[in-house]
Amino acid sequence: MVRYKNIKILTGNANPALAAEITDYLGMELTHASVGAFSDGEICLSISESVRGADCYIIQPTCTPVNDNLMELLIMTDALRRASAKRITAVLPYYGYARQDRKNKARDPITAKLVANLITEAGARRVLGVDLHAGQIQGFFDIPVDHLMAAPLLVDYFKNRLDLEDVVVVSPDIGGVARARKLAEDLHVPLAIVDKRRPKPNVAEVMHIIGDVSGKRAIMIDDMIDTAGTITLGAEALLKNGAKEVFACCTHPVLSGPAIERLENSALTEVVVTNTIPLLEEKRINKIKVLSIAPLIGEAIIRIHEDISVSKLFV
């Protein structure tokens, strides 16, 4: 017997494996939707069952290829709206364009806000996100946003993985201090900070370490690892300052460009990530440990559907 009769879970091509895990958690089947492309590259969509009056959830991280996955999300949202879905929730395990959230110089776009507008205009009436790059992105949407944190997964993992007596949590930059402080508090360990500057995008230079890391196992935490320059450079600096072992963790394994080679050749013992973004087979190196975010998203979907507080999942 299906427990949640009025829920419809759909997925595009961004991360169908995660969508399948979520429906398994919910004890449901994915709503059958075929997302393909015409010969000229335009996206085509076919939803082969009724969604009229249903509470619909589209599982679609806007990861690489970002623009294709974003268009799939918009087209699926539009189709559900036109098919008289009762409510449409865009489930964004990873929110592409999140780093373009402000004007750093004249004539810069604020693309994170533009994407929020597009999703809202397409017909989404709620957004469920995971570790948005900046908290203010919630305010870019003119619809309710439920913002999940992957920190509880990481806390549980490291509590079982390490003896916390000699552990220190490290923020790889000043901007990530709040995230690192929360992990340090949850693990009941001290905090340190890597002071760095970034002369240009995807290029980081470590200045010095704020805090004592000598003789400790360091856990660096960030919301995402992209080219892995910051994380690997930080690991080198921590070891030079006396750390005996360095772990890294993040929610979103973007892992673009030279990231895998850098991680493979780095001094890091282990890199712990979640499956908000699918990890291709060629990126599954031994140093990377993947935790599933599916139960957290599944529980959030239940709570949204039943009008129960979502914040209880991470308070």
Side-chain angles (χ1 to χ4, degrees):
M1 184 178 71
V2 178
R3 181 180 172 191
Y4 305 104
K5 293 183 179 179
N6 204 35
I7 292 181
K8 299 286 187 180
I9 309 290
L10 300 91
T11 183
N13 295 311
N15 198 344
L18 174 60
E21 286 189 43
I22 292 169
T23 52
D24 284 347
Y25 180 85
L26 295 172
M28 299 174 56
E29 297 289 332
L30 273 169
T31 298
H32 189 268
S34 174
V35 186
F38 294 108
S39 59
D40 64 352
E42 291 181 0
I43 292 166
C44 62
L45 168 67
S46 174
I47 301 173
S48 59
E49 59 186 270
S50 174
V51 297
R52 184 178 295 271
D55 190 12
C56 297
Y57 298 81
I58 307 172
I59 316 295
Q60 182 79 345
T62 50
C63 51
T64 301
V66 180
N67 298 328
D68 288 349
N69 289 331
L70 175 58
M71 279 304 299
E72 286 186 8
L73 172 65
L74 297 176
I75 291 169
M76 294 179 79
T77 303
D78 179 74
L80 292 173
R81 177 175 61 87
R82 295 175 187 277
S84 301
K86 182 178 181 181
R87 180 176 61 184
I88 305 164
T89 299
V91 181
L92 304 172
Y94 173 74
Y95 184 62
Y97 289 109
R99 286 171 283 184
Q100 297 183 41
D101 63 337
R102 62 193 181 280
K103 290 183 69 169
N104 288 314
K105 61 181 187 302
R107 295 172 296 281
D108 272 359
I110 305 180
T111 319
K113 171 58 176 167
L114 170 62
V115 171
N117 289 346
L118 290 171
I119 292 170
T120 304
E121 283 299 312
R125 289 297 167 259
R126 190 174 208 94
V127 167
L128 176 59
V130 181
D131 277 324
L132 297 170
H133 182 66
Q136 66 264 25
I137 290 174
Q138 296 172 76
F140 290 0
F141 290 90
D142 295 325
I143 54 178
V145 177
D146 290 300
H147 188 202
L148 301 180
M149 305 292 181
L153 294 178
L154 301 173
V155 169
D156 289 345
Y157 178 78
F158 283 113
K159 279 183 176 179
N160 293 317
R161 175 75 169 81
L162 300 175
D163 179 354
L164 300 179
E165 290 296 320
D166 60 352
V167 166
V168 59
V169 170
V170 180
S171 174
D173 52 35
I174 299 296
V177 170
R179 184 182 301 107
R181 182 183 293 117
K182 181 68 168 65
L183 181 62
E185 289 173 352
D186 290 344
L187 291 175
H188 305 291
V189 300
L191 173 70
I193 304 165
V194 176
D195 181 23
K196 74 170 188 186
R197 66 184 180 92
R198 190 182 290 278
K200 57 183 179 179
N202 292 326
V203 176
E205 295 178 2
V206 170
M207 306 301 283
H208 61 275
I209 307 297
I210 302 169
D212 180 21
V213 298
S214 181
K216 296 184 180 293
R217 289 185 171 86
I219 302 173
M220 284 193 294
I221 180 171
D222 214 339
D223 64 319
M224 68 178 73
I225 298 176
D226 188 353
T227 61
T230 295
I231 285 291
T232 54
L233 201 61
E236 292 175 12
L238 291 167
L239 291 171
K240 286 178 182 176
N241 280 265
K244 62 183 181 182
E245 195 173 20
V246 182
F247 295 79
C249 62
C250 75
T251 304
H252 310 300
V254 178
L255 303 180
S256 65
I260 292 299
E261 182 181 358
R262 283 175 173 172
L263 293 176
E264 187 77 89
N265 297 328
S266 73
L268 289 163
T269 299
E270 188 174 55
V271 182
V272 183
V273 304
T274 78
N275 60 343
T276 57
I277 296 174
L279 203 60
L280 300 177
E281 197 60 41
E282 59 266 26
K283 294 183 178 182
R284 291 182 175 272
I285 60 175
N286 291 334
K287 283 188 178 183
I288 295 180
K289 169 70 175 178
V290 181
L291 308 179
S292 179
I293 200 81
L296 182 63
I297 294 176
E299 188 61 33
I301 287 173
I302 293 170
R303 287 170 175 267
I304 291 169
H305 179 68
E306 297 187 343
D307 295 321
I308 304 171
S309 173
V310 174
S311 65
K312 298 293 185 183
L313 294 176
F314 48 85
V315 172

